[in-house]
PDB file of all heavy atoms in Angstrom:
ATOM      1  N   LEU A  50      18.857  -4.669  -6.493  1.00  0.00           N
ATOM      2  CA  LEU A  50      18.975  -3.902  -5.254  1.00  0.00           C
ATOM      3  C   LEU A  50      20.399  -3.402  -5.036  1.00  0.00           C
ATOM      4  O   LEU A  50      20.595  -2.277  -4.581  1.00  0.00           O
ATOM      5  CB  LEU A  50      18.505  -4.727  -4.051  1.00  0.00           C
ATOM      6  CG  LEU A  50      18.466  -3.986  -2.721  1.00  0.00           C
ATOM      7  CD1 LEU A  50      17.582  -2.740  -2.784  1.00  0.00           C
ATOM      8  CD2 LEU A  50      17.996  -4.912  -1.626  1.00  0.00           C
ATOM      9  N   VAL A  76      24.804  -7.711   9.026  1.00  0.00           N
ATOM     10  CA  VAL A  76      23.983  -7.094   7.987  1.00  0.00           C
ATOM     11  C   VAL A  76      24.540  -5.713   7.649  1.00  0.00           C
ATOM     12  O   VAL A  76      24.825  -4.924   8.539  1.00  0.00           O
ATOM     13  CB  VAL A  76      22.515  -6.988   8.452  1.00  0.00           C
ATOM     14  CG1 VAL A  76      21.677  -6.187   7.458  1.00  0.00           C
ATOM     15  CG2 VAL A  76      21.919  -8.352   8.673  1.00  0.00           C
ATOM     16  N   TYR A  80      22.651  -0.991   2.936  1.00  0.00           N
ATOM     17  CA  TYR A  80      21.954  -1.917   2.027  1.00  0.00           C
ATOM     18  C   TYR A  80      20.586  -2.290   2.620  1.00  0.00           C
ATOM     19  O   TYR A  80      19.578  -2.288   1.921  1.00  0.00           O
ATOM     20  CB  TYR A  80      22.815  -3.174   1.805  1.00  0.00           C
ATOM     21  CG  TYR A  80      22.222  -4.185   0.860  1.00  0.00           C
ATOM     22  CD1 TYR A  80      22.528  -4.134  -0.498  1.00  0.00           C
ATOM     23  CD2 TYR A  80      21.400  -5.208   1.312  1.00  0.00           C
ATOM     24  CE1 TYR A  80      22.014  -5.065  -1.381  1.00  0.00           C
ATOM     25  CE2 TYR A  80      20.871  -6.134   0.441  1.00  0.00           C
ATOM     26  CZ  TYR A  80      21.193  -6.076  -0.895  1.00  0.00           C
ATOM     27  OH  TYR A  80      20.672  -7.004  -1.775  1.00  0.00           O
ATOM     28  N   ASN A  81      20.554  -2.558   3.913  1.00  0.00           N
ATOM     29  CA  ASN A  81      19.327  -2.921   4.601  1.00  0.00           C
ATOM     30  C   ASN A  81      18.329  -1.781   4.540  1.00  0.00           C
ATOM     31  O   ASN A  81      17.126  -1.998   4.324  1.00  0.00           O
ATOM     32  CB  ASN A  81      19.642  -3.332   6.039  1.00  0.00           C
ATOM     33  CG  ASN A  81      18.428  -3.797   6.777  1.00  0.00           C
ATOM     34  OD1 ASN A  81      17.859  -3.025   7.542  1.00  0.00           O
ATOM     35  ND2 ASN A  81      18.038  -5.038   6.571  1.00  0.00           N
ATOM     36  N   ALA A  84      16.892  -1.572   1.141  1.00  0.00           N
ATOM     37  CA  ALA A  84      15.955  -2.688   0.969  1.00  0.00           C
ATOM     38  C   ALA A  84      14.600  -2.383   1.616  1.00  0.00           C
ATOM     39  O   ALA A  84      13.543  -2.694   1.050  1.00  0.00           O
ATOM     40  CB  ALA A  84      16.537  -3.975   1.558  1.00  0.00           C
ATOM     41  N   ARG A  87      12.756   0.094  -0.516  1.00  0.00           N
ATOM     42  CA  ARG A  87      12.189  -0.629  -1.665  1.00  0.00           C
ATOM     43  C   ARG A  87      10.903  -1.348  -1.251  1.00  0.00           C
ATOM     44  O   ARG A  87       9.888  -1.286  -1.949  1.00  0.00           O
ATOM     45  CB  ARG A  87      13.207  -1.648  -2.185  1.00  0.00           C
ATOM     46  CG  ARG A  87      12.669  -2.534  -3.287  1.00  0.00           C
ATOM     47  CD  ARG A  87      13.551  -3.725  -3.539  1.00  0.00           C
ATOM     48  NE  ARG A  87      13.607  -4.571  -2.363  1.00  0.00           N
ATOM     49  CZ  ARG A  87      14.193  -5.745  -2.308  1.00  0.00           C
ATOM     50  NH1 ARG A  87      14.798  -6.219  -3.376  1.00  0.00           N
ATOM     51  NH2 ARG A  87      14.197  -6.456  -1.211  1.00  0.00           N
ATOM     52  N   ARG A 101      12.333 -11.895  -9.653  1.00  0.00           N
ATOM     53  CA  ARG A 101      13.000 -12.003  -8.353  1.00  0.00           C
ATOM     54  C   ARG A 101      14.298 -11.176  -8.346  1.00  0.00           C
ATOM     55  O   ARG A 101      15.106 -11.285  -9.237  1.00  0.00           O
ATOM     56  CB  ARG A 101      13.296 -13.452  -8.033  1.00  0.00           C
ATOM     57  CG  ARG A 101      13.933 -13.616  -6.674  1.00  0.00           C
ATOM     58  CD  ARG A 101      14.135 -15.054  -6.342  1.00  0.00           C
ATOM     59  NE  ARG A 101      12.818 -15.562  -5.958  1.00  0.00           N
ATOM     60  CZ  ARG A 101      12.614 -16.439  -5.001  1.00  0.00           C
ATOM     61  NH1 ARG A 101      13.621 -16.929  -4.338  1.00  0.00           N
ATOM     62  NH2 ARG A 101      11.435 -16.820  -4.690  1.00  0.00           N
ATOM     63  N   GLY A 102      14.434 -10.377  -7.299  1.00  0.00           N
ATOM     64  CA  GLY A 102      15.652  -9.605  -7.116  1.00  0.00           C
ATOM     65  C   GLY A 102      15.713  -8.300  -7.891  1.00  0.00           C
ATOM     66  O   GLY A 102      16.732  -7.589  -7.814  1.00  0.00           O
ATOM     67  N   LEU A 159       7.753 -11.787   4.629  1.00  0.00           N
ATOM     68  CA  LEU A 159       9.112 -11.730   5.147  1.00  0.00           C
ATOM     69  C   LEU A 159      10.000 -12.797   4.507  1.00  0.00           C
ATOM     70  O   LEU A 159      11.170 -12.542   4.191  1.00  0.00           O
ATOM     71  CB  LEU A 159       9.112 -11.883   6.670  1.00  0.00           C
ATOM     72  CG  LEU A 159       8.522 -10.706   7.442  1.00  0.00           C
ATOM     73  CD1 LEU A 159       8.364 -11.074   8.916  1.00  0.00           C
ATOM     74  CD2 LEU A 159       9.394  -9.483   7.290  1.00  0.00           C
ATOM     75  N   LEU A 160       9.469 -13.976   4.323  1.00  0.00           N
ATOM     76  CA  LEU A 160      10.227 -15.046   3.682  1.00  0.00           C
ATOM     77  C   LEU A 160      10.570 -14.691   2.245  1.00  0.00           C
ATOM     78  O   LEU A 160      11.677 -14.966   1.772  1.00  0.00           O
ATOM     79  CB  LEU A 160       9.478 -16.374   3.777  1.00  0.00           C
ATOM     80  CG  LEU A 160       9.378 -16.982   5.154  1.00  0.00           C
ATOM     81  CD1 LEU A 160       8.439 -18.191   5.147  1.00  0.00           C
ATOM     82  CD2 LEU A 160      10.750 -17.367   5.685  1.00  0.00           C
ATOM     83  N   GLN A 161       9.625 -14.066   1.525  1.00  0.00           N
ATOM     84  CA  GLN A 161       9.873 -13.642   0.170  1.00  0.00           C
ATOM     85  C   GLN A 161      10.989 -12.584   0.140  1.00  0.00           C
ATOM     86  O   GLN A 161      11.882 -12.650  -0.682  1.00  0.00           O
ATOM     87  CB  GLN A 161       8.597 -13.088  -0.459  1.00  0.00           C
ATOM     88  CG  GLN A 161       8.780 -12.570  -1.881  1.00  0.00           C
ATOM     89  CD  GLN A 161       9.164 -13.643  -2.852  1.00  0.00           C
ATOM     90  OE1 GLN A 161       8.770 -14.802  -2.704  1.00  0.00           O
ATOM     91  NE2 GLN A 161       9.955 -13.297  -3.852  1.00  0.00           N
ATOM     92  N   GLU A 162      10.917 -11.605   1.040  1.00  0.00           N
ATOM     93  CA  GLU A 162      11.940 -10.578   1.103  1.00  0.00           C
ATOM     94  C   GLU A 162      13.299 -11.210   1.410  1.00  0.00           C
ATOM     95  O   GLU A 162      14.303 -10.852   0.790  1.00  0.00           O
ATOM     96  CB  GLU A 162      11.589  -9.526   2.145  1.00  0.00           C
ATOM     97  CG  GLU A 162      10.413  -8.673   1.771  1.00  0.00           C
ATOM     98  CD  GLU A 162       9.952  -7.781   2.927  1.00  0.00           C
ATOM     99  OE1 GLU A 162      10.733  -7.549   3.841  1.00  0.00           O
ATOM    100  OE2 GLU A 162       8.813  -7.338   2.852  1.00  0.00           O
ATOM    101  N   PHE A 163      13.320 -12.146   2.345  1.00  0.00           N
ATOM    102  CA  PHE A 163      14.565 -12.810   2.694  1.00  0.00           C
ATOM    103  C   PHE A 163      15.119 -13.561   1.477  1.00  0.00           C
ATOM    104  O   PHE A 163      16.319 -13.518   1.187  1.00  0.00           O
ATOM    105  CB  PHE A 163      14.360 -13.761   3.857  1.00  0.00           C
ATOM    106  CG  PHE A 163      15.568 -14.606   4.141  1.00  0.00           C
ATOM    107  CD1 PHE A 163      16.640 -14.085   4.848  1.00  0.00           C
ATOM    108  CD2 PHE A 163      15.657 -15.908   3.666  1.00  0.00           C
ATOM    109  CE1 PHE A 163      17.771 -14.842   5.093  1.00  0.00           C
ATOM    110  CE2 PHE A 163      16.780 -16.666   3.911  1.00  0.00           C
ATOM    111  CZ  PHE A 163      17.841 -16.149   4.619  1.00  0.00           C
ATOM    112  N   ALA A 164      14.239 -14.257   0.754  1.00  0.00           N
ATOM    113  CA  ALA A 164      14.671 -15.032  -0.422  1.00  0.00           C
ATOM    114  C   ALA A 164      15.296 -14.114  -1.458  1.00  0.00           C
ATOM    115  O   ALA A 164      16.321 -14.465  -2.069  1.00  0.00           O
ATOM    116  CB  ALA A 164      13.499 -15.805  -1.006  1.00  0.00           C
ATOM    117  N   GLU A 165      14.729 -12.945  -1.657  1.00  0.00           N
ATOM    118  CA  GLU A 165      15.272 -12.012  -2.648  1.00  0.00           C
ATOM    119  C   GLU A 165      16.662 -11.515  -2.234  1.00  0.00           C
ATOM    120  O   GLU A 165      17.578 -11.489  -3.054  1.00  0.00           O
ATOM    121  CB  GLU A 165      14.328 -10.811  -2.811  1.00  0.00           C
ATOM    122  CG  GLU A 165      13.042 -11.185  -3.496  1.00  0.00           C
ATOM    123  CD  GLU A 165      12.006 -10.069  -3.464  1.00  0.00           C
ATOM    124  OE1 GLU A 165      12.361  -8.942  -3.064  1.00  0.00           O
ATOM    125  OE2 GLU A 165      10.882 -10.330  -3.868  1.00  0.00           O
ATOM    126  N   VAL A 166      16.805 -11.164  -0.988  1.00  0.00           N
ATOM    127  CA  VAL A 166      18.115 -10.698  -0.511  1.00  0.00           C
ATOM    128  C   VAL A 166      19.137 -11.835  -0.568  1.00  0.00           C
ATOM    129  O   VAL A 166      20.266 -11.633  -0.990  1.00  0.00           O
ATOM    130  CB  VAL A 166      17.989 -10.120   0.925  1.00  0.00           C
ATOM    131  CG1 VAL A 166      19.364  -9.831   1.499  1.00  0.00           C
ATOM    132  CG2 VAL A 166      17.147  -8.848   0.900  1.00  0.00           C
ATOM    133  N   ALA A 167      18.729 -13.005  -0.151  1.00  0.00           N
ATOM    134  CA  ALA A 167      19.628 -14.169  -0.176  1.00  0.00           C
ATOM    135  C   ALA A 167      20.047 -14.497  -1.598  1.00  0.00           C
ATOM    136  O   ALA A 167      21.238 -14.764  -1.859  1.00  0.00           O
ATOM    137  CB  ALA A 167      18.967 -15.382   0.485  1.00  0.00           C
ATOM    138  N   ASP A 168      19.118 -14.469  -2.534  1.00  0.00           N
ATOM    139  CA  ASP A 168      19.454 -14.741  -3.955  1.00  0.00           C
ATOM    140  C   ASP A 168      20.488 -13.765  -4.466  1.00  0.00           C
ATOM    141  O   ASP A 168      21.441 -14.136  -5.137  1.00  0.00           O
ATOM    142  CB  ASP A 168      18.219 -14.681  -4.829  1.00  0.00           C
ATOM    143  CG  ASP A 168      17.308 -15.887  -4.678  1.00  0.00           C
ATOM    144  OD1 ASP A 168      17.726 -16.870  -4.054  1.00  0.00           O
ATOM    145  OD2 ASP A 168      16.166 -15.815  -5.189  1.00  0.00           O
ATOM    146  N   GLU A 169      20.313 -12.469  -4.139  1.00  0.00           N
ATOM    147  CA  GLU A 169      21.268 -11.455  -4.587  1.00  0.00           C
ATOM    148  C   GLU A 169      22.635 -11.708  -3.941  1.00  0.00           C
ATOM    149  O   GLU A 169      23.669 -11.588  -4.608  1.00  0.00           O
ATOM    150  CB  GLU A 169      20.785 -10.067  -4.262  1.00  0.00           C
ATOM    151  CG  GLU A 169      19.613  -9.645  -5.135  1.00  0.00           C
ATOM    152  CD  GLU A 169      19.154  -8.220  -4.824  1.00  0.00           C
ATOM    153  OE1 GLU A 169      19.910  -7.432  -4.264  1.00  0.00           O
ATOM    154  OE2 GLU A 169      18.015  -7.948  -5.178  1.00  0.00           O
ATOM    155  N   TRP A 170      22.643 -12.060  -2.677  1.00  0.00           N
ATOM    156  CA  TRP A 170      23.900 -12.294  -1.981  1.00  0.00           C
ATOM    157  C   TRP A 170      24.626 -13.493  -2.588  1.00  0.00           C
ATOM    158  O   TRP A 170      25.828 -13.430  -2.873  1.00  0.00           O
ATOM    159  CB  TRP A 170      23.666 -12.515  -0.493  1.00  0.00           C
ATOM    160  CG  TRP A 170      24.960 -12.642   0.284  1.00  0.00           C
ATOM    161  CD1 TRP A 170      25.760 -11.681   0.728  1.00  0.00           C
ATOM    162  CD2 TRP A 170      25.564 -13.888   0.693  1.00  0.00           C
ATOM    163  NE1 TRP A 170      26.828 -12.215   1.383  1.00  0.00           N
ATOM    164  CE2 TRP A 170      26.738 -13.564   1.370  1.00  0.00           C
ATOM    165  CE3 TRP A 170      25.218 -15.230   0.513  1.00  0.00           C
ATOM    166  CZ2 TRP A 170      27.583 -14.538   1.893  1.00  0.00           C
ATOM    167  CZ3 TRP A 170      26.065 -16.190   1.043  1.00  0.00           C
ATOM    168  CH2 TRP A 170      27.232 -15.831   1.710  1.00  0.00           C
ATOM    169  N   PHE A 171      23.906 -14.595  -2.786  1.00  0.00           N
ATOM    170  CA  PHE A 171      24.527 -15.794  -3.348  1.00  0.00           C
ATOM    171  C   PHE A 171      25.011 -15.546  -4.767  1.00  0.00           C
ATOM    172  O   PHE A 171      26.018 -16.105  -5.186  1.00  0.00           O
ATOM    173  CB  PHE A 171      23.577 -16.980  -3.298  1.00  0.00           C
ATOM    174  CG  PHE A 171      23.524 -17.653  -1.943  1.00  0.00           C
ATOM    175  CD1 PHE A 171      22.364 -17.566  -1.166  1.00  0.00           C
ATOM    176  CD2 PHE A 171      24.610 -18.333  -1.443  1.00  0.00           C
ATOM    177  CE1 PHE A 171      22.318 -18.168   0.083  1.00  0.00           C
ATOM    178  CE2 PHE A 171      24.567 -18.930  -0.193  1.00  0.00           C
ATOM    179  CZ  PHE A 171      23.433 -18.846   0.579  1.00  0.00           C
ATOM    180  N   ALA A 172      24.308 -14.724  -5.514  1.00  0.00           N
ATOM    181  CA  ALA A 172      24.730 -14.417  -6.888  1.00  0.00           C
ATOM    182  C   ALA A 172      26.081 -13.687  -6.903  1.00  0.00           C
ATOM    183  O   ALA A 172      26.830 -13.809  -7.852  1.00  0.00           O
ATOM    184  CB  ALA A 172      23.664 -13.561  -7.580  1.00  0.00           C
ATOM    185  N   LYS A 173      26.373 -12.925  -5.838  1.00  0.00           N
ATOM    186  CA  LYS A 173      27.644 -12.195  -5.752  1.00  0.00           C
ATOM    187  C   LYS A 173      28.796 -13.060  -5.254  1.00  0.00           C
ATOM    188  O   LYS A 173      29.951 -12.709  -5.412  1.00  0.00           O
ATOM    189  CB  LYS A 173      27.498 -10.979  -4.832  1.00  0.00           C
ATOM    190  CG  LYS A 173      26.592  -9.907  -5.377  1.00  0.00           C
ATOM    191  CD  LYS A 173      26.608  -8.659  -4.521  1.00  0.00           C
ATOM    192  CE  LYS A 173      26.251  -8.934  -3.104  1.00  0.00           C
ATOM    193  NZ  LYS A 173      26.135  -7.773  -2.243  1.00  0.00           N
ATOM    194  N   CYS A 174      28.469 -14.163  -4.607  1.00  0.00           N
ATOM    195  CA  CYS A 174      29.492 -15.011  -3.983  1.00  0.00           C
ATOM    196  C   CYS A 174      29.931 -16.098  -4.934  1.00  0.00           C
ATOM    197  O   CYS A 174      29.160 -16.569  -5.764  1.00  0.00           O
ATOM    198  CB  CYS A 174      28.958 -15.662  -2.721  1.00  0.00           C
ATOM    199  SG  CYS A 174      28.542 -14.471  -1.435  1.00  0.00           S
ATOM    200  N   SER A 175      31.161 -16.517  -4.787  1.00  0.00           N
ATOM    201  CA  SER A 175      31.606 -17.704  -5.524  1.00  0.00           C
ATOM    202  C   SER A 175      32.063 -18.717  -4.500  1.00  0.00           C
ATOM    203  O   SER A 175      32.757 -18.394  -3.535  1.00  0.00           O
ATOM    204  CB  SER A 175      32.743 -17.335  -6.476  1.00  0.00           C
ATOM    205  OG  SER A 175      33.855 -16.874  -5.745  1.00  0.00           O
ATOM    206  N   PHE A 176      31.615 -19.916  -4.686  1.00  0.00           N
ATOM    207  CA  PHE A 176      31.954 -20.987  -3.742  1.00  0.00           C
ATOM    208  C   PHE A 176      32.833 -21.989  -4.440  1.00  0.00           C
ATOM    209  O   PHE A 176      32.560 -22.426  -5.558  1.00  0.00           O
ATOM    210  CB  PHE A 176      30.687 -21.685  -3.237  1.00  0.00           C
ATOM    211  CG  PHE A 176      29.798 -20.760  -2.435  1.00  0.00           C
ATOM    212  CD1 PHE A 176      28.725 -20.080  -3.066  1.00  0.00           C
ATOM    213  CD2 PHE A 176      30.028 -20.537  -1.101  1.00  0.00           C
ATOM    214  CE1 PHE A 176      27.934 -19.238  -2.329  1.00  0.00           C
ATOM    215  CE2 PHE A 176      29.217 -19.701  -0.358  1.00  0.00           C
ATOM    216  CZ  PHE A 176      28.180 -19.056  -0.973  1.00  0.00           C
TER     217      PHE A 176
END
Side-chain angles (χ1 to χ4, degrees):
L50 185 57
V76 173
Y80 182 91
N81 183 260
R87 175 194 63 173
R101 182 176 283 218
L159 290 171
L160 290 172
Q161 178 64 31
E162 291 171 20
F163 173 79
E165 291 171 8
V166 171
D168 285 349
E169 288 181 22
W170 184 82
F171 280 112
K173 293 187 302 185
C174 296
S175 62
F176 296 95

